[in-house]
Amino acid sequence: MPQLRKCTLQKCCYCISLYCGSILISFYTILSGLLNAATLTDELIFRKNSSTDVWIKWFNICHVCLMIAAAVLLLVAVMTKHILSLLIWMGLFAVHIFAYYIAFHAMVNVRSPFFGDALSGSIYVGVILLTLGIDIFCMIVVYSRYNELKNPHDFMPKCVDK
């Protein structure tokens, strides 16, 4: 399937195998879930001092649980070479991307009182775009690993003798 090779990577970051890259992505997912748990704590402290939406706490709790479950699922899927689990992780990660970048950042944090000047808003948008780019790259790497497991003959190196 040559058209699949156009959409996939041969290596993660040009030097790491897709297997190791997928393991690193699972650790990145765990780390981002734990960082979201830390922001949940900040949100609860902020809520005592200012008013905010009630559903933000439950959104963050569900998001942290989704990220940790997705990370564990990806780690198990990579270690056992279970193709269906990689598809489930991609679905969970797509839900994360939609929920976190659209629902949370676009709807909730626009009203944040920390945007007093243009510089803080620009830094915030820059960081969000950077993490969105990293998340999309993670999806591409795991999709490449999925294609590598599903079609191993397409990812074998070409024979030198031919």
Side-chain angles (χ1 to χ4, degrees):
M1 297 189 160
Q3 64 269 32
L4 285 179
R5 288 187 77 134
K6 294 177 185 175
C7 301
T8 59
L9 303 172
Q10 295 296 318
K11 292 193 176 274
C12 176
C13 299
Y14 300 106
C15 60
I16 302 172
S17 69
L18 292 174
Y19 174 79
C20 291
S22 297
I23 291 174
L24 290 175
I25 289 170
S26 70
F27 288 128
Y28 164 74
T29 310
I30 289 174
L31 179 66
S32 65
L34 293 176
L35 285 174
N36 286 332
T39 59
L40 174 64
T41 306
D42 285 343
E43 179 66 33
L44 293 176
I45 291 170
F46 172 71
R47 198 157 137 226
K48 287 182 183 177
N49 299 331
S50 297
S51 64
T52 184
D53 294 332
V54 177
W55 64 273
I56 293 174
K57 175 180 78 169
W58 295 110
F59 177 84
N60 278 336
I61 290 171
C62 291
H63 186 258
V64 167
C65 292
L66 173 85
M67 293 299 292
I68 302 276
V72 170
L73 180 71
L74 178 62
L75 191 59
V76 169
V78 169
M79 297 298 229
T80 61
K81 296 181 181 179
H82 194 254
I83 295 175
L84 182 62
S85 297
L86 288 174
L87 282 176
I88 293 171
W89 180 86
M90 286 189 278
L92 289 174
F93 210 69
V95 167
H96 148 72
I97 288 174
F98 177 76
Y100 193 62
Y101 293 106
I102 304 296
F104 187 68
H105 288 294
M107 292 174 17
V108 175
N109 284 342
V110 170
R111 298 177 297 169
S112 181
F114 302 113
F115 296 143
D117 56 352
L119 179 63
S120 62
S122 300
I123 291 172
Y124 179 78
V125 169
V127 168
I128 294 305
L129 289 176
L130 177 70
T131 56
L132 178 63
I134 291 171
D135 284 351
I136 290 172
F137 178 73
C138 292
M139 285 283 284
I140 291 170
V141 169
V142 174
Y143 178 72
S144 299
R145 177 67 181 157
Y146 166 77
N147 280 334
E148 183 182 45
L149 289 175
K150 190 172 180 183
N151 306 309
H153 56 281
D154 288 343
F155 288 86
M156 289 190 166
K158 303 240 186 278
C159 185
V160 185
D161 295 336
K162 288 186 177 181

